[in-house]
Amino acid sequence: MIKVGIIGGAGYTAGELIRLLINHPDVEIMFVNSSSNAGNKLTAVHSGLYGDTDMTFTEDLPLNEIDLLFFCTAHGDTKKFLGEHTIPERLKIIDLSQDYRIASPSHEFIYGLPELNRRAICKSKYVANPGCFATGIQLALLPLAKHLMLNQSIHVNAITGSTGAGVKPSATSHFSWRNNNISVYKPFEHQHLAEIRQSLTQLQHSFRSSVDFIPVRGDFARGIFTTVYMDCKIELGEIKKIYNEYYDDHSFTFIVDENPDLKQVVNTNKCLLHLQKTEGKLLVISVIDNLLKGASGQAVHNMNLLFNLEETVGLHLKPSAF
């Protein structure tokens, strides 16, 4: 059994991670750390876990008793923690914050997008889980980058559910503001752009094009619906072949002929991609669940790779019928 600990256990991504790990056949959760909830049952915060666990949150950090540590912490906290604590040599880490997503000689974290770095993840010790927007956008573009086809401006519009803003209430996540509402934020300068450009450049070293990204707050709880379009002279049939070949041996990304919707992926670890051509424009639609494929599901996928398990173990999740 893989013995795991979780730091930052009270948020949405932690709740989903706990749900997945409780039902994973090869995992035992040893502790869930939350200083603000220490002594309380997990179900006091994650009420969907009633009947699944009697664990309580703890302030303890028995790092020598675990094989893998998940960080579901706020951005900046993982780096601070690692600077203040001695990490056992054998301990593996998966960080769901943005602290180590950008490659640097100063750290050993591998960028944890399996559809890009699966082999490197399998051989690694520390994994930086991608951002949710970044996951959906990159999966829409990686096959084109591999074929050196990103030589023009890329236009991206992506609308995300309110859970993407985290569990802590804010003016723009409050129900009375978010319901029946929509708004743009951080146009052209969202923090996920850096990791997107890093990945595209990894496949296409000559990549210099702009990525014009407009993030949008949606009036739903979970999911990301992304549309990407650009000039493209290649015929649609050839483009579909490129995408099908790229994702042929990947377990969670699928090319679909029908125009997809969010309900097909919510509560799953899937990404659905749909391709269209209109005259000289290529449109790629990408849909994911921001809390699963965009966060905790992808983290479990990375865990399976780190420990040489079949990569879909614990992730056979089904969307709602309605």
Side-chain angles (χ1 to χ4, degrees), residues 13-25:
T13 56
E16 288 293 83
L17 180 62
I18 294 165
R19 177 172 70 91
L20 294 173
L21 295 178
I22 284 173
N23 293 289
H24 195 292

Side-chain angles (χ1 to χ4, degrees), residues 63-85:
L63 300 182
N64 288 311
E65 299 178 11
I66 61 174
D67 305 303
L68 172 65
L69 181 62
F70 288 97
F71 283 93
C72 297
T73 46
H75 302 312
D77 286 354
T78 302
K79 185 175 290 187
K80 182 179 178 181
F81 182 96
L82 295 181
E84 295 176 347
H85 293 78

Side-chain angles (χ1 to χ4, degrees), residues 63-309:
L63 300 182
N64 288 311
E65 299 178 11
I66 61 174
D67 305 303
L68 172 65
L69 181 62
F70 288 97
F71 283 93
C72 297
T73 46
H75 302 312
D77 286 354
T78 302
K79 185 175 290 187
K80 182 179 178 181
F81 182 96
L82 295 181
E84 295 176 347
H85 293 78
T86 299
I87 305 301
E89 180 63 28
R90 60 182 289 275
L91 182 62
K92 297 184 179 182
I93 293 173
I94 296 178
D95 179 25
L96 279 77
S97 81
Q98 68 180 20
D99 290 13
Y100 294 101
R101 291 173 186 165
I102 303 304
S104 168
S106 66
H107 67 76
E108 301 176 23
F109 280 80
I110 295 294
Y111 187 66
L113 186 65
E115 291 83 357
L116 176 67
N117 288 328
R118 182 163 57 189
R119 290 184 180 179
I121 295 166
C122 290
K123 299 176 182 178
S124 67
K125 182 177 177 183
Y126 300 153
V127 174
N129 222 56
C132 52
F133 272 133
T135 296
I137 294 169
Q138 288 173 102
L139 294 177
L141 293 171
L142 292 180
L144 299 177
K146 182 178 180 181
H147 286 263
L148 312 182
M149 294 172 61
L150 298 179
N151 302 305
Q152 60 288 307
S153 295
I154 302 165
H155 307 284
V156 182
N157 180 285
I159 181 168
T160 185
S162 57
T163 52
V167 71
K168 188 176 181 180
S170 68
T172 57
S173 62
H174 195 287
F175 176 80
S176 59
W177 186 90
R178 196 96 176 201
N179 188 48
N180 296 322
N181 200 8
I182 192 169
S183 66
V184 168
Y185 71 107
K186 297 182 180 178
F188 309 114
E189 57 183 17
H190 194 277
Q191 63 271 18
H192 289 183
L193 280 168
E195 60 190 277
I196 292 168
R197 296 194 65 88
Q198 173 180 258
S199 296
L200 298 180
T201 304
Q202 179 179 329
L203 289 179
Q204 181 176 330
H205 299 325
S206 62
F207 178 70
R208 300 292 185 274
S209 301
S210 64
V211 181
D212 301 324
F213 175 31
I214 308 297
V216 181
R217 301 182 184 97
D219 65 344
F220 49 91
R222 58 195 295 166
I224 296 178
F225 190 97
T226 300
T227 55
V228 179
Y229 72 92
M230 68 200 77
D231 294 331
C232 181
K233 296 179 180 179
I234 309 299
E235 293 297 320
L236 182 59
E238 183 63 25
I239 295 170
K240 286 184 176 180
K241 181 180 178 182
I242 287 170
Y243 275 74
N244 281 310
E245 288 178 350
Y246 188 97
Y247 292 114
D248 179 62
D249 64 341
H250 290 283
S251 302
F252 297 107
T253 301
F254 304 94
I255 317 304
V256 297
D257 291 329
E258 299 79 15
N259 202 334
D261 57 70
L262 277 181
K263 285 190 175 182
Q264 293 171 280
V265 299
V266 167
N267 296 317
T268 80
N269 198 52
K270 297 176 184 177
C271 174
L272 300 186
L273 298 175
H274 175 66
L275 306 165
Q276 294 182 23
K277 276 291 299 290
T278 300
E279 297 180 351
K281 299 288 185 184
L282 171 65
L283 171 66
V284 185
I285 300 172
S286 169
V287 289
I288 65 170
D289 184 314
N290 60 298
L291 293 179
L292 289 172
K293 183 59 175 168
S296 302
Q298 188 158 224
V300 172
H301 186 177
N302 281 319
M303 178 193 72
N304 289 341
L305 295 175
L306 281 177
F307 288 90
N308 298 310
L309 301 177

